[in-house]
Amino acid sequence: MVHFFVLRWDELSDAQIKLGDEGQGWAWMEARAFTMHEDAVSPLRGRLTRALDALGL
């Protein structure tokens, strides 16, 4: 089972983001930029694109 959530989280700050020690990383990215990013998982790009379109964003 796979879950994919889209939400707006305006109050999140950099200091609140915690990752494990597995070598993971993160970066702030506009949602539409993510949908065009070559490293993004293809099915998730499509789902996010449809969600953004439905929300008019």
mmCIF file of all heavy atoms in Angstrom:
data_model
loop_
_atom_site.group_PDB
_atom_site.id
_atom_site.type_symbol
_atom_site.label_atom_id
_atom_site.label_comp_id
_atom_site.label_asym_id
_atom_site.label_seq_id
_atom_site.Cartn_x
_atom_site.Cartn_y
_atom_site.Cartn_z
ATOM 1 N N MET A 1 0.839 -1.158 0.000
ATOM 2 C CA MET A 1 0.000 0.000 0.000
ATOM 3 C C MET A 1 0.897 1.237 0.000
ATOM 4 O O MET A 1 1.882 1.307 0.720
ATOM 5 C CB MET A 1 -0.898 0.001 1.232
ATOM 6 C CG MET A 1 -1.804 1.201 1.276
ATOM 7 S SD MET A 1 -2.942 1.199 2.674
ATOM 8 C CE MET A 1 -3.942 -0.200 2.259
ATOM 9 N N VAL A 2 0.558 2.201 -0.831
ATOM 10 C CA VAL A 2 1.317 3.445 -0.936
ATOM 11 C C VAL A 2 0.396 4.609 -0.601
ATOM 12 O O VAL A 2 -0.740 4.645 -1.048
ATOM 13 C CB VAL A 2 1.881 3.623 -2.366
ATOM 14 C CG1 VAL A 2 2.575 4.952 -2.499
ATOM 15 C CG2 VAL A 2 2.812 2.482 -2.706
ATOM 16 N N HIS A 3 0.899 5.538 0.193
ATOM 17 C CA HIS A 3 0.152 6.740 0.531
ATOM 18 C C HIS A 3 0.911 7.938 -0.006
ATOM 19 O O HIS A 3 2.136 7.989 0.074
ATOM 20 C CB HIS A 3 -0.016 6.895 2.043
ATOM 21 C CG HIS A 3 -0.786 5.782 2.657
ATOM 22 N ND1 HIS A 3 -2.156 5.743 2.643
ATOM 23 C CD2 HIS A 3 -0.383 4.665 3.281
ATOM 24 C CE1 HIS A 3 -2.562 4.644 3.247
ATOM 25 N NE2 HIS A 3 -1.507 3.973 3.640
ATOM 26 N N PHE A 4 0.198 8.872 -0.560
ATOM 27 C CA PHE A 4 0.808 10.094 -1.074
ATOM 28 C C PHE A 4 -0.044 11.252 -0.607
ATOM 29 O O PHE A 4 -1.235 11.299 -0.880
ATOM 30 C CB PHE A 4 0.860 10.053 -2.611
ATOM 31 C CG PHE A 4 1.523 11.250 -3.211
ATOM 32 C CD1 PHE A 4 2.899 11.415 -3.150
ATOM 33 C CD2 PHE A 4 0.772 12.216 -3.855
ATOM 34 C CE1 PHE A 4 3.506 12.513 -3.716
ATOM 35 C CE2 PHE A 4 1.369 13.323 -4.428
ATOM 36 C CZ PHE A 4 2.745 13.469 -4.356
ATOM 37 N N PHE A 5 0.551 12.151 0.145
ATOM 38 C CA PHE A 5 -0.181 13.271 0.710
ATOM 39 C C PHE A 5 0.345 14.586 0.146
ATOM 40 O O PHE A 5 1.545 14.747 -0.049
ATOM 41 C CB PHE A 5 -0.026 13.320 2.235
ATOM 42 C CG PHE A 5 -0.577 12.106 2.917
ATOM 43 C CD1 PHE A 5 0.254 11.060 3.259
ATOM 44 C CD2 PHE A 5 -1.926 12.013 3.221
ATOM 45 C CE1 PHE A 5 -0.249 9.937 3.884
ATOM 46 C CE2 PHE A 5 -2.436 10.899 3.840
ATOM 47 C CZ PHE A 5 -1.595 9.852 4.174
ATOM 48 N N VAL A 6 -0.544 15.492 -0.101
ATOM 49 C CA VAL A 6 -0.184 16.845 -0.515
ATOM 50 C C VAL A 6 -0.809 17.785 0.497
ATOM 51 O O VAL A 6 -1.997 17.693 0.783
ATOM 52 C CB VAL A 6 -0.719 17.165 -1.928
ATOM 53 C CG1 VAL A 6 -0.427 18.601 -2.299
ATOM 54 C CG2 VAL A 6 -0.148 16.200 -2.949
ATOM 55 N N LEU A 7 0.005 18.665 1.061
ATOM 56 C CA LEU A 7 -0.532 19.620 2.001
ATOM 57 C C LEU A 7 0.288 20.899 1.952
ATOM 58 O O LEU A 7 1.388 20.928 1.436
ATOM 59 C CB LEU A 7 -0.530 19.052 3.428
ATOM 60 C CG LEU A 7 0.846 18.750 4.019
ATOM 61 C CD1 LEU A 7 1.089 19.680 5.192
ATOM 62 C CD2 LEU A 7 0.887 17.309 4.467
ATOM 63 N N ARG A 8 -0.289 21.920 2.477
ATOM 64 C CA ARG A 8 0.396 23.203 2.584
ATOM 65 C C ARG A 8 0.797 23.377 4.043
ATOM 66 O O ARG A 8 -0.041 23.312 4.935
ATOM 67 C CB ARG A 8 -0.545 24.316 2.141
ATOM 68 C CG ARG A 8 0.117 25.643 2.085
ATOM 69 C CD ARG A 8 -0.814 26.641 1.465
ATOM 70 N NE ARG A 8 -0.215 27.946 1.557
ATOM 71 C CZ ARG A 8 -0.650 28.992 0.907
ATOM 72 N NH1 ARG A 8 -1.693 28.871 0.112
ATOM 73 N NH2 ARG A 8 -0.067 30.139 1.039
ATOM 74 N N TRP A 9 2.078 23.583 4.271
ATOM 75 C CA TRP A 9 2.583 23.662 5.627
ATOM 76 C C TRP A 9 3.428 24.914 5.737
ATOM 77 O O TRP A 9 4.647 24.885 5.690
ATOM 78 C CB TRP A 9 3.414 22.438 5.938
ATOM 79 C CG TRP A 9 3.722 22.223 7.390
ATOM 80 C CD1 TRP A 9 3.655 23.124 8.393
ATOM 81 C CD2 TRP A 9 4.149 21.005 7.990
ATOM 82 N NE1 TRP A 9 4.017 22.555 9.586
ATOM 83 C CE2 TRP A 9 4.329 21.257 9.361
ATOM 84 C CE3 TRP A 9 4.399 19.743 7.497
ATOM 85 C CZ2 TRP A 9 4.759 20.266 10.239
ATOM 86 C CZ3 TRP A 9 4.822 18.771 8.375
ATOM 87 C CH2 TRP A 9 4.988 19.035 9.727
ATOM 88 N N ASP A 10 2.772 26.055 5.899
ATOM 89 C CA ASP A 10 3.448 27.348 5.882
ATOM 90 C C ASP A 10 4.304 27.618 7.113
ATOM 91 O O ASP A 10 5.209 28.429 7.059
ATOM 92 C CB ASP A 10 2.429 28.473 5.736
ATOM 93 C CG ASP A 10 1.726 28.419 4.401
ATOM 94 O OD1 ASP A 10 2.350 27.989 3.421
ATOM 95 O OD2 ASP A 10 0.549 28.792 4.341
ATOM 96 N N GLU A 11 4.024 26.964 8.207
ATOM 97 C CA GLU A 11 4.717 27.276 9.452
ATOM 98 C C GLU A 11 5.944 26.407 9.709
ATOM 99 O O GLU A 11 6.570 26.509 10.748
ATOM 100 C CB GLU A 11 3.748 27.146 10.630
ATOM 101 C CG GLU A 11 2.574 28.098 10.555
ATOM 102 C CD GLU A 11 2.999 29.562 10.517
ATOM 103 O OE1 GLU A 11 3.917 29.954 11.258
ATOM 104 O OE2 GLU A 11 2.411 30.322 9.713
ATOM 105 N N LEU A 12 6.309 25.543 8.779
ATOM 106 C CA LEU A 12 7.462 24.676 8.956
ATOM 107 C C LEU A 12 8.747 25.476 8.800
ATOM 108 O O LEU A 12 8.890 26.271 7.879
ATOM 109 C CB LEU A 12 7.437 23.548 7.923
ATOM 110 C CG LEU A 12 8.520 22.487 8.034
ATOM 111 C CD1 LEU A 12 8.352 21.703 9.330
ATOM 112 C CD2 LEU A 12 8.439 21.544 6.851
ATOM 113 N N SER A 13 9.671 25.278 9.720
ATOM 114 C CA SER A 13 10.959 25.962 9.623
ATOM 115 C C SER A 13 12.066 24.935 9.388
ATOM 116 O O SER A 13 11.919 23.758 9.711
ATOM 117 C CB SER A 13 11.250 26.773 10.882
ATOM 118 O OG SER A 13 11.541 25.912 11.955
ATOM 119 N N ASP A 14 13.180 25.389 8.864
ATOM 120 C CA ASP A 14 14.310 24.512 8.572
ATOM 121 C C ASP A 14 14.747 23.718 9.809
ATOM 122 O O ASP A 14 15.083 22.549 9.712
ATOM 123 C CB ASP A 14 15.494 25.309 8.058
ATOM 124 C CG ASP A 14 15.220 25.979 6.718
ATOM 125 O OD1 ASP A 14 14.116 25.808 6.173
ATOM 126 O OD2 ASP A 14 16.116 26.674 6.222
ATOM 127 N N ALA A 15 14.769 24.365 10.950
ATOM 128 C CA ALA A 15 15.251 23.733 12.174
ATOM 129 C C ALA A 15 14.355 22.579 12.632
ATOM 130 O O ALA A 15 14.787 21.718 13.392
ATOM 131 C CB ALA A 15 15.368 24.768 13.286
ATOM 132 N N GLN A 16 13.107 22.536 12.175
ATOM 133 C CA GLN A 16 12.172 21.496 12.593
ATOM 134 C C GLN A 16 12.326 20.205 11.794
ATOM 135 O O GLN A 16 11.772 19.191 12.172
ATOM 136 C CB GLN A 16 10.739 21.994 12.468
ATOM 137 C CG GLN A 16 10.411 23.111 13.434
ATOM 138 C CD GLN A 16 9.049 23.699 13.147
ATOM 139 O OE1 GLN A 16 8.833 24.287 12.103
ATOM 140 N NE2 GLN A 16 8.133 23.507 14.083
ATOM 141 N N ILE A 17 13.064 20.234 10.716
ATOM 142 C CA ILE A 17 13.201 19.059 9.862
ATOM 143 C C ILE A 17 14.334 18.197 10.393
ATOM 144 O O ILE A 17 15.463 18.647 10.531
ATOM 145 C CB ILE A 17 13.456 19.467 8.402
ATOM 146 C CG1 ILE A 17 12.247 20.245 7.896
ATOM 147 C CG2 ILE A 17 13.732 18.243 7.545
ATOM 148 C CD1 ILE A 17 12.417 20.826 6.529
ATOM 149 N N LYS A 18 14.014 16.955 10.724
ATOM 150 C CA LYS A 18 14.991 16.016 11.264
ATOM 151 C C LYS A 18 15.037 14.777 10.381
ATOM 152 O O LYS A 18 14.007 14.193 10.079
ATOM 153 C CB LYS A 18 14.607 15.597 12.686
ATOM 154 C CG LYS A 18 14.411 16.740 13.649
ATOM 155 C CD LYS A 18 15.717 17.373 14.014
ATOM 156 C CE LYS A 18 15.486 18.436 15.085
ATOM 157 N NZ LYS A 18 16.350 19.544 15.005
ATOM 158 N N LEU A 19 16.235 14.384 9.989
ATOM 159 C CA LEU A 19 16.431 13.179 9.200
ATOM 160 C C LEU A 19 17.317 12.219 9.973
ATOM 161 O O LEU A 19 18.060 12.631 10.866
ATOM 162 C CB LEU A 19 17.103 13.513 7.864
ATOM 163 C CG LEU A 19 16.348 14.476 6.956
ATOM 164 C CD1 LEU A 19 17.204 14.835 5.751
ATOM 165 C CD2 LEU A 19 15.027 13.885 6.512
ATOM 166 N N GLY A 20 17.267 10.959 9.604
ATOM 167 C CA GLY A 20 18.142 9.974 10.228
ATOM 168 C C GLY A 20 19.564 10.134 9.708
ATOM 169 O O GLY A 20 19.907 11.108 9.039
ATOM 170 N N ASP A 21 20.395 9.147 9.984
ATOM 171 C CA ASP A 21 21.794 9.221 9.562
ATOM 172 C C ASP A 21 22.057 8.352 8.334
ATOM 173 O O ASP A 21 23.162 7.884 8.107
ATOM 174 C CB ASP A 21 22.715 8.827 10.712
ATOM 175 C CG ASP A 21 22.449 7.419 11.215
ATOM 176 O OD1 ASP A 21 21.492 6.770 10.761
ATOM 177 O OD2 ASP A 21 23.222 6.973 12.082
ATOM 178 N N GLU A 22 21.048 8.134 7.517
ATOM 179 C CA GLU A 22 21.162 7.285 6.341
ATOM 180 C C GLU A 22 21.710 8.023 5.130
ATOM 181 O O GLU A 22 21.692 7.512 4.014
ATOM 182 C CB GLU A 22 19.793 6.692 5.957
ATOM 183 C CG GLU A 22 19.158 5.850 7.030
ATOM 184 C CD GLU A 22 18.310 6.668 7.981
ATOM 185 O OE1 GLU A 22 18.087 7.876 7.723
ATOM 186 O OE2 GLU A 22 17.874 6.112 8.993
ATOM 187 N N GLY A 23 22.164 9.237 5.301
ATOM 188 C CA GLY A 23 22.676 10.002 4.178
ATOM 189 C C GLY A 23 21.591 10.710 3.393
ATOM 190 O O GLY A 23 21.801 11.121 2.262
ATOM 191 N N GLN A 24 20.420 10.837 3.994
ATOM 192 C CA GLN A 24 19.316 11.506 3.315
ATOM 193 C C GLN A 24 19.533 13.005 3.310
ATOM 194 O O GLN A 24 20.279 13.551 4.106
ATOM 195 C CB GLN A 24 17.990 11.193 4.009
ATOM 196 C CG GLN A 24 17.633 9.737 4.001
ATOM 197 C CD GLN A 24 16.350 9.474 4.766
ATOM 198 O OE1 GLN A 24 15.677 10.382 5.221
ATOM 199 N NE2 GLN A 24 16.006 8.214 4.898
ATOM 200 N N GLY A 25 18.866 13.661 2.410
ATOM 201 C CA GLY A 25 18.918 15.109 2.354
ATOM 202 C C GLY A 25 17.566 15.652 1.937
ATOM 203 O O GLY A 25 16.675 14.912 1.550
ATOM 204 N N TRP A 26 17.424 16.957 2.031
ATOM 205 C CA TRP A 26 16.176 17.597 1.636
ATOM 206 C C TRP A 26 16.494 18.988 1.115
ATOM 207 O O TRP A 26 17.567 19.527 1.355
ATOM 208 C CB TRP A 26 15.196 17.667 2.812
ATOM 209 C CG TRP A 26 15.644 18.588 3.895
ATOM 210 C CD1 TRP A 26 16.467 18.285 4.935
ATOM 211 C CD2 TRP A 26 15.335 19.978 4.006
ATOM 212 N NE1 TRP A 26 16.680 19.396 5.700
ATOM 213 C CE2 TRP A 26 16.008 20.457 5.158
ATOM 214 C CE3 TRP A 26 14.571 20.855 3.264
ATOM 215 C CZ2 TRP A 26 15.913 21.772 5.566
ATOM 216 C CZ3 TRP A 26 14.488 22.170 3.680
ATOM 217 C CH2 TRP A 26 15.146 22.618 4.818
ATOM 218 N N ALA A 27 15.541 19.532 0.408
ATOM 219 C CA ALA A 27 15.667 20.901 -0.096
ATOM 220 C C ALA A 27 14.261 21.463 -0.276
ATOM 221 O O ALA A 27 13.340 20.734 -0.640
ATOM 222 C CB ALA A 27 16.398 20.928 -1.430
ATOM 223 N N TRP A 28 14.103 22.763 0.010
ATOM 224 C CA TRP A 28 12.831 23.425 -0.281
ATOM 225 C C TRP A 28 12.691 23.492 -1.788
ATOM 226 O O TRP A 28 13.643 23.796 -2.503
ATOM 227 C CB TRP A 28 12.809 24.834 0.297
ATOM 228 C CG TRP A 28 12.695 24.886 1.786
ATOM 229 C CD1 TRP A 28 13.659 25.302 2.655
ATOM 230 C CD2 TRP A 28 11.575 24.517 2.579
ATOM 231 N NE1 TRP A 28 13.207 25.211 3.939
ATOM 232 C CE2 TRP A 28 11.921 24.731 3.926
ATOM 233 C CE3 TRP A 28 10.312 24.026 2.290
ATOM 234 C CZ2 TRP A 28 11.054 24.468 4.973
ATOM 235 C CZ3 TRP A 28 9.449 23.761 3.338
ATOM 236 C CH2 TRP A 28 9.819 23.990 4.655
ATOM 237 N N MET A 29 11.508 23.194 -2.287
ATOM 238 C CA MET A 29 11.278 23.187 -3.723
ATOM 239 C C MET A 29 9.824 23.559 -3.990
ATOM 240 O O MET A 29 8.927 23.067 -3.309
ATOM 241 C CB MET A 29 11.580 21.790 -4.276
ATOM 242 C CG MET A 29 11.464 21.657 -5.766
ATOM 243 S SD MET A 29 11.818 19.980 -6.352
ATOM 244 C CE MET A 29 13.526 19.822 -5.906
ATOM 245 N N GLU A 30 9.609 24.426 -4.934
ATOM 246 C CA GLU A 30 8.243 24.723 -5.357
ATOM 247 C C GLU A 30 7.606 23.439 -5.884
ATOM 248 O O GLU A 30 8.270 22.622 -6.524
ATOM 249 C CB GLU A 30 8.229 25.788 -6.457
ATOM 250 C CG GLU A 30 8.699 27.146 -5.995
ATOM 251 C CD GLU A 30 7.694 27.819 -5.085
ATOM 252 O OE1 GLU A 30 6.482 27.567 -5.223
ATOM 253 O OE2 GLU A 30 8.131 28.597 -4.218
ATOM 254 N N ALA A 31 6.320 23.258 -5.614
ATOM 255 C CA ALA A 31 5.638 22.025 -6.002
ATOM 256 C C ALA A 31 5.722 21.786 -7.508
ATOM 257 O O ALA A 31 5.987 20.667 -7.956
ATOM 258 C CB ALA A 31 4.183 22.069 -5.544
ATOM 259 N N ARG A 32 5.502 22.829 -8.303
ATOM 260 C CA ARG A 32 5.584 22.646 -9.765
ATOM 261 C C ARG A 32 7.001 22.297 -10.208
ATOM 262 O O ARG A 32 7.186 21.544 -11.149
ATOM 263 C CB ARG A 32 5.099 23.894 -10.498
ATOM 264 C CG ARG A 32 3.621 24.097 -10.443
ATOM 265 C CD ARG A 32 2.880 23.140 -11.332
ATOM 266 N NE ARG A 32 1.444 23.343 -11.179
ATOM 267 C CZ ARG A 32 0.523 22.585 -11.724
ATOM 268 N NH1 ARG A 32 0.874 21.569 -12.481
ATOM 269 N NH2 ARG A 32 -0.745 22.836 -11.522
ATOM 270 N N ALA A 33 7.994 22.822 -9.527
ATOM 271 C CA ALA A 33 9.379 22.475 -9.859
ATOM 272 C C ALA A 33 9.627 20.991 -9.594
ATOM 273 O O ALA A 33 10.312 20.316 -10.361
ATOM 274 C CB ALA A 33 10.354 23.333 -9.066
ATOM 275 N N PHE A 34 9.040 20.470 -8.502
ATOM 276 C CA PHE A 34 9.180 19.044 -8.204
ATOM 277 C C PHE A 34 8.598 18.195 -9.327
ATOM 278 O O PHE A 34 9.172 17.166 -9.693
ATOM 279 C CB PHE A 34 8.491 18.700 -6.883
ATOM 280 C CG PHE A 34 8.467 17.223 -6.604
ATOM 281 C CD1 PHE A 34 9.567 16.587 -6.068
ATOM 282 C CD2 PHE A 34 7.335 16.478 -6.896
ATOM 283 C CE1 PHE A 34 9.544 15.220 -5.831
ATOM 284 C CE2 PHE A 34 7.299 15.115 -6.660
ATOM 285 C CZ PHE A 34 8.409 14.486 -6.127
ATOM 286 N N THR A 35 7.464 18.621 -9.885
ATOM 287 C CA THR A 35 6.826 17.823 -10.930
ATOM 288 C C THR A 35 7.676 17.745 -12.197
ATOM 289 O O THR A 35 7.456 16.870 -13.023
ATOM 290 C CB THR A 35 5.428 18.363 -11.299
ATOM 291 O OG1 THR A 35 5.552 19.660 -11.889
ATOM 292 C CG2 THR A 35 4.520 18.424 -10.091
ATOM 293 N N MET A 36 8.646 18.621 -12.333
ATOM 294 C CA MET A 36 9.528 18.608 -13.510
ATOM 295 C C MET A 36 10.931 18.094 -13.185
ATOM 296 O O MET A 36 11.770 18.011 -14.059
ATOM 297 C CB MET A 36 9.609 20.009 -14.099
ATOM 298 C CG MET A 36 8.273 20.502 -14.628
ATOM 299 S SD MET A 36 8.364 22.151 -15.321
ATOM 300 C CE MET A 36 8.191 23.130 -13.840
ATOM 301 N N HIS A 37 11.173 17.730 -11.924
ATOM 302 C CA HIS A 37 12.499 17.295 -11.496
ATOM 303 C C HIS A 37 12.774 15.876 -11.981
ATOM 304 O O HIS A 37 11.963 14.979 -11.768
ATOM 305 C CB HIS A 37 12.601 17.364 -9.971
ATOM 306 C CG HIS A 37 13.997 17.388 -9.473
ATOM 307 N ND1 HIS A 37 14.757 16.253 -9.349
ATOM 308 C CD2 HIS A 37 14.780 18.414 -9.091
ATOM 309 C CE1 HIS A 37 15.949 16.580 -8.887
ATOM 310 N NE2 HIS A 37 15.985 17.890 -8.726
ATOM 311 N N GLU A 38 13.913 15.663 -12.611
ATOM 312 C CA GLU A 38 14.220 14.360 -13.208
ATOM 313 C C GLU A 38 14.409 13.250 -12.176
ATOM 314 O O GLU A 38 14.243 12.071 -12.495
ATOM 315 C CB GLU A 38 15.465 14.455 -14.092
ATOM 316 C CG GLU A 38 16.728 14.810 -13.344
ATOM 317 C CD GLU A 38 17.932 14.994 -14.250
ATOM 318 O OE1 GLU A 38 17.752 15.461 -15.382
ATOM 319 O OE2 GLU A 38 19.038 14.673 -13.796
ATOM 320 N N ASP A 39 14.742 13.584 -10.936
ATOM 321 C CA ASP A 39 14.943 12.573 -9.895
ATOM 322 C C ASP A 39 13.655 12.181 -9.181
ATOM 323 O O ASP A 39 13.650 11.233 -8.401
ATOM 324 C CB ASP A 39 15.954 13.065 -8.850
ATOM 325 C CG ASP A 39 17.360 13.150 -9.398
ATOM 326 O OD1 ASP A 39 17.652 12.486 -10.417
ATOM 327 O OD2 ASP A 39 18.168 13.890 -8.827
ATOM 328 N N ALA A 40 12.582 12.894 -9.421
ATOM 329 C CA ALA A 40 11.316 12.584 -8.756
ATOM 330 C C ALA A 40 10.732 11.292 -9.330
ATOM 331 O O ALA A 40 10.858 11.013 -10.516
ATOM 332 C CB ALA A 40 10.329 13.726 -8.943
ATOM 333 N N VAL A 41 10.095 10.513 -8.468
ATOM 334 C CA VAL A 41 9.472 9.259 -8.897
ATOM 335 C C VAL A 41 8.320 9.597 -9.841
ATOM 336 O O VAL A 41 7.424 10.370 -9.485
ATOM 337 C CB VAL A 41 8.974 8.464 -7.674
ATOM 338 C CG1 VAL A 41 8.250 7.199 -8.105
ATOM 339 C CG2 VAL A 41 10.143 8.142 -6.749
ATOM 340 N N SER A 42 8.355 9.016 -11.012
ATOM 341 C CA SER A 42 7.412 9.373 -12.080
ATOM 342 C C SER A 42 5.941 9.317 -11.650
ATOM 343 O O SER A 42 5.204 10.266 -11.892
ATOM 344 C CB SER A 42 7.651 8.493 -13.296
ATOM 345 O OG SER A 42 6.816 8.874 -14.349
ATOM 346 N N PRO A 43 5.469 8.220 -11.028
ATOM 347 C CA PRO A 43 4.059 8.198 -10.631
ATOM 348 C C PRO A 43 3.706 9.295 -9.621
ATOM 349 O O PRO A 43 2.596 9.828 -9.641
ATOM 350 C CB PRO A 43 3.871 6.817 -10.011
ATOM 351 C CG PRO A 43 4.956 5.984 -10.608
ATOM 352 C CD PRO A 43 6.113 6.919 -10.792
ATOM 353 N N LEU A 44 4.645 9.642 -8.743
ATOM 354 C CA LEU A 44 4.368 10.698 -7.778
ATOM 355 C C LEU A 44 4.319 12.060 -8.449
ATOM 356 O O LEU A 44 3.528 12.924 -8.059
ATOM 357 C CB LEU A 44 5.412 10.699 -6.665
ATOM 358 C CG LEU A 44 5.468 9.434 -5.808
ATOM 359 C CD1 LEU A 44 6.520 9.577 -4.723
ATOM 360 C CD2 LEU A 44 4.118 9.097 -5.222
ATOM 361 N N ARG A 45 5.146 12.256 -9.459
ATOM 362 C CA ARG A 45 5.082 13.512 -10.218
ATOM 363 C C ARG A 45 3.709 13.686 -10.833
ATOM 364 O O ARG A 45 3.121 14.766 -10.779
ATOM 365 C CB ARG A 45 6.155 13.532 -11.314
ATOM 366 C CG ARG A 45 7.531 13.647 -10.769
ATOM 367 C CD ARG A 45 8.578 13.903 -11.813
ATOM 368 N NE ARG A 45 8.303 13.409 -13.138
ATOM 369 C CZ ARG A 45 9.220 12.891 -13.939
ATOM 370 N NH1 ARG A 45 10.466 12.792 -13.554
ATOM 371 N NH2 ARG A 45 8.905 12.484 -15.140
ATOM 372 N N GLY A 46 3.191 12.628 -11.421
ATOM 373 C CA GLY A 46 1.870 12.697 -12.042
ATOM 374 C C GLY A 46 0.767 12.963 -11.035
ATOM 375 O O GLY A 46 -0.134 13.763 -11.281
ATOM 376 N N ARG A 47 0.839 12.300 -9.886
ATOM 377 C CA ARG A 47 -0.187 12.487 -8.859
ATOM 378 C C ARG A 47 -0.156 13.909 -8.314
ATOM 379 O O ARG A 47 -1.205 14.521 -8.090
ATOM 380 C CB ARG A 47 0.001 11.469 -7.742
ATOM 381 C CG ARG A 47 -0.291 10.052 -8.213
ATOM 382 C CD ARG A 47 0.050 9.047 -7.176
ATOM 383 N NE ARG A 47 -0.974 9.011 -6.140
ATOM 384 C CZ ARG A 47 -0.924 8.195 -5.098
ATOM 385 N NH1 ARG A 47 0.069 7.368 -4.924
ATOM 386 N NH2 ARG A 47 -1.898 8.218 -4.207
ATOM 387 N N LEU A 48 1.043 14.430 -8.092
ATOM 388 C CA LEU A 48 1.152 15.805 -7.588
ATOM 389 C C LEU A 48 0.658 16.790 -8.625
ATOM 390 O O LEU A 48 -0.030 17.759 -8.297
ATOM 391 C CB LEU A 48 2.588 16.115 -7.177
ATOM 392 C CG LEU A 48 2.829 17.525 -6.647
ATOM 393 C CD1 LEU A 48 1.922 17.833 -5.455
ATOM 394 C CD2 LEU A 48 4.283 17.714 -6.272
ATOM 395 N N THR A 49 0.982 16.564 -9.884
ATOM 396 C CA THR A 49 0.510 17.448 -10.951
ATOM 397 C C THR A 49 -1.004 17.492 -10.969
ATOM 398 O O THR A 49 -1.606 18.574 -11.045
ATOM 399 C CB THR A 49 1.040 16.985 -12.318
ATOM 400 O OG1 THR A 49 2.476 17.064 -12.311
ATOM 401 C CG2 THR A 49 0.490 17.829 -13.456
ATOM 402 N N ARG A 50 -1.645 16.333 -10.865
ATOM 403 C CA ARG A 50 -3.116 16.293 -10.873
ATOM 404 C C ARG A 50 -3.680 16.994 -9.637
ATOM 405 O O ARG A 50 -4.682 17.702 -9.726
ATOM 406 C CB ARG A 50 -3.602 14.857 -10.969
ATOM 407 C CG ARG A 50 -3.353 14.240 -12.338
ATOM 408 C CD ARG A 50 -4.029 12.893 -12.506
ATOM 409 N NE ARG A 50 -3.561 11.867 -11.575
ATOM 410 C CZ ARG A 50 -2.454 11.143 -11.725
ATOM 411 N NH1 ARG A 50 -1.682 11.331 -12.782
ATOM 412 N NH2 ARG A 50 -2.132 10.224 -10.835
ATOM 413 N N ALA A 51 -3.042 16.820 -8.485
ATOM 414 C CA ALA A 51 -3.512 17.490 -7.256
ATOM 415 C C ALA A 51 -3.392 19.000 -7.398
ATOM 416 O O ALA A 51 -4.321 19.741 -7.046
ATOM 417 C CB ALA A 51 -2.714 16.997 -6.051
ATOM 418 N N LEU A 52 -2.259 19.477 -7.908
ATOM 419 C CA LEU A 52 -2.077 20.915 -8.093
ATOM 420 C C LEU A 52 -3.089 21.481 -9.079
ATOM 421 O O LEU A 52 -3.639 22.560 -8.873
ATOM 422 C CB LEU A 52 -0.642 21.217 -8.563
ATOM 423 C CG LEU A 52 0.460 20.934 -7.547
ATOM 424 C CD1 LEU A 52 1.819 21.064 -8.212
ATOM 425 C CD2 LEU A 52 0.340 21.810 -6.332
ATOM 426 N N ASP A 53 -3.316 20.743 -10.162
ATOM 427 C CA ASP A 53 -4.304 21.193 -11.154
ATOM 428 C C ASP A 53 -5.701 21.281 -10.524
ATOM 429 O O ASP A 53 -6.428 22.248 -10.757
ATOM 430 C CB ASP A 53 -4.331 20.223 -12.335
ATOM 431 C CG ASP A 53 -3.086 20.306 -13.201
ATOM 432 O OD1 ASP A 53 -2.302 21.274 -13.056
ATOM 433 O OD2 ASP A 53 -2.873 19.393 -14.020
ATOM 434 N N ALA A 54 -6.065 20.273 -9.722
ATOM 435 C CA ALA A 54 -7.385 20.259 -9.095
ATOM 436 C C ALA A 54 -7.549 21.428 -8.107
ATOM 437 O O ALA A 54 -8.646 21.947 -7.942
ATOM 438 C CB ALA A 54 -7.607 18.933 -8.372
ATOM 439 N N LEU A 55 -6.438 21.814 -7.469
ATOM 440 C CA LEU A 55 -6.476 22.920 -6.522
ATOM 441 C C LEU A 55 -6.302 24.274 -7.196
ATOM 442 O O LEU A 55 -6.385 25.325 -6.551
ATOM 443 C CB LEU A 55 -5.371 22.746 -5.476
ATOM 444 C CG LEU A 55 -5.538 21.546 -4.544
ATOM 445 C CD1 LEU A 55 -4.273 21.333 -3.732
ATOM 446 C CD2 LEU A 55 -6.744 21.758 -3.638
ATOM 447 N N GLY A 56 -6.032 24.262 -8.505
ATOM 448 C CA GLY A 56 -5.825 25.516 -9.223
ATOM 449 C C GLY A 56 -4.509 26.187 -8.879
ATOM 450 O O GLY A 56 -4.399 27.410 -8.955
ATOM 451 N N LEU A 57 -3.515 25.400 -8.512
ATOM 452 C CA LEU A 57 -2.205 25.949 -8.122
ATOM 453 C C LEU A 57 -1.156 25.730 -9.197
ATOM 454 O O LEU A 57 -1.137 24.854 -9.924
ATOM 455 C CB LEU A 57 -1.713 25.290 -6.819
ATOM 456 C CG LEU A 57 -2.642 25.474 -5.633
ATOM 457 C CD1 LEU A 57 -2.142 24.649 -4.454
ATOM 458 C CD2 LEU A 57 -2.697 26.936 -5.240
#
